Amino acid sequence: MRVVHFVESFSPLTETYVYDLVVAGSRHGLDSWVLTLRRANAVTRPFNNVREISLPPRWSPERLWSRLSVQAGRLDPHEQYSSILQRRIRRFLSSQRADVVHAHFGPAGYLILPVAQALGIPLVVSFYGYDVTRQASSELWRSRYEKMFRFADALVALSNVMREQLLELGASASKVRIVHVGKRASEYVYHQPRSPVLNWVSVGRLVEKKGHLDCIRAFAIAMRDRDATLTIVGDGEERKTLTDEVAAQKLGQRVRFAGSLPHPEMLQAMREADAFVLCSKTATDGDTEGTPVVLLEAQALGLPCVATRHSGIPEVIAAENHRFLAEEGNVHDIAARMALLSQATQGELANITRYGRRKVELEYDVDIEAGRLLELYACAISAQNGC
């Protein structure tokens, strides 16, 4: 079976999940190809079957004709560049003789939909977070999704929460399937937890939905009288706001910004910590998380975790550890969960981390999830009733 994965960027530093699923699919015997507008991290995330497409130069005849078509009213301004890309996508898909197209993120699904329809290729679309919340908040994208939901063969959600969000947007329940992001726990060496919990780590882009400002404030409350540290891995638009907060809290010697790190170095920063904390929340523009992969990695490594009850996060955390989930955006509740974890004994920490590791092994194994995708592809191709 030949599957073409279409994703606008393959694979940004903070997005390991698409790459992991593509590679896992190949291990299952799929003839997998990736079509993308931008290739990133090709050395650290090697995959041979990748084809980049892009817009032609600004003053090329193709783009000039597109602009004239918009001016003449023959082309919707919103579709000006999409039409050019779709022609290039069509040439690639025609040459590949793909059995199924798997688009990653809602906008990518909408872009490739008319091409898949024209070629008669089944289309599967995966959603990851912002594309069912912030993106879907506009009337333009709601109308686009309505069309895509009608004609796509299958829609993939990461969690039960996301499935409900797709249904609220108008997706048919018969089309929506849950396929988790995942990791191979066997590739992560489990380390016995350390007591007391003093050294914390948080990983994520420095953007509002990651809740780093809440994290810093909660750390200041929970660890006020303890010789504790917090390392934040990631970079982004909120860096100055966060560094200003650290200065205001007089935490300059205790909170460290490590910046964006290559994946192996990020994992090393996690191994050096006693616990992991992630304070995700809904941003003011409606942006939300999907399933943060770093929570899978932290649990696989044997780190006890404090997190928020946001989006699909409670589904990732073992039920036995839900007492360490705080209300999103509630700094004092987050601080209380951090303080609770910091008081756990060595024996309690051992149980907490075993529950977390087992959760990843049993429910978020990337090879098992890739197997579910393979079944979904086969179903879309055969169009069997009840699939």
Side-chain angles (χ1 to χ4, degrees), residues 121-338:
I121 304 173
L123 174 64
V124 175
V125 183
S126 280
F127 294 82
Y128 291 92
Y130 84 90
D131 44 0
V132 292
T133 53
R134 185 187 67 198
Q135 193 86 40
S137 65
S138 75
E139 290 187 13
L140 173 64
W141 275 101
R142 280 182 175 272
S143 66
R144 289 176 169 182
Y145 278 5
E146 182 181 350
K147 178 181 178 181
M148 185 172 69
F149 291 165
R150 285 201 310 271
F151 296 108
D153 295 270
L155 307 169
V156 178
L158 302 183
S159 64
N160 289 303
V161 168
M162 189 175 290
R163 180 180 185 276
E164 292 304 312
Q165 290 170 330
L166 286 171
L167 296 182
E168 288 174 9
L169 289 172
S172 169
S174 64
K175 287 189 176 183
V176 181
R177 296 289 183 270
I178 295 176
V179 178
H180 297 139
V181 292
K183 285 291 180 181
R184 302 179 94 187
S186 60
E187 296 179 354
Y188 293 77
V189 178
Y190 173 85
H191 294 276
Q192 292 295 330
R194 293 182 289 267
S195 176
V197 170
L198 294 173
N199 300 308
W200 298 80
V201 64
S202 187
V203 178
R205 290 179 297 120
L206 306 188
V207 295
E208 186 184 1
K209 73 176 179 181
K210 296 295 182 179
H212 291 302
L213 190 60
D214 294 340
C215 183
I216 291 167
R217 290 170 175 171
F219 173 81
I221 296 170
M223 301 287 111
R224 180 182 295 112
D225 300 321
R226 311 196 71 179
D227 185 18
T229 65
L230 170 64
T231 298
I232 298 175
V233 179
D235 212 342
E237 61 198 42
E238 286 206 324
R239 186 175 185 113
K240 185 178 187 307
T241 300
L242 299 176
T243 54
D244 287 349
E245 181 65 23
V246 168
Q249 296 277 0
K250 296 181 171 54
L251 294 172
Q253 300 302 311
R254 301 173 63 189
V255 176
R256 181 175 75 94
F257 292 91
S260 294
L261 297 177
H263 193 248
E265 294 180 30
M266 180 270 284
L267 292 179
Q268 183 57 34
M270 292 170 72
R271 292 187 195 99
E272 292 171 358
D274 301 326
F276 185 86
V277 56
L278 188 65
C279 302
S280 303
K281 64 181 181 180
T282 302
T284 52
D285 64 359
D287 194 8
T288 66
E289 298 271 29
T291 300
V293 174
V294 287
L295 279 171
L296 302 180
E297 295 181 305
Q299 291 179 103
L301 289 170
L303 279 175
C305 298
V306 168
T308 48
R309 289 187 290 272
H310 169 81
S311 191
I313 287 176
E315 297 178 39
V316 176
I317 301 296
E320 297 89 342
N321 295 337
H322 275 202
R323 64 188 183 278
F324 301 111
L325 292 177
E327 178 186 357
E328 68 172 84
N330 187 328
V331 170
H332 288 280
D333 195 18
I334 297 168
R337 311 295 166 161
M338 294 176 74

Side-chain angles (χ1 to χ4, degrees), residues 347-367:
E348 290 169 338
L349 288 171
N351 287 332
I352 290 165
T353 56
R354 279 199 295 269
Y355 293 140
R357 170 81 180 199
R358 187 173 63 188
K359 181 78 171 180
V360 177
E361 291 174 336
L362 297 181
E363 298 181 34
Y364 289 87
D365 182 279
V366 70
D367 288 306

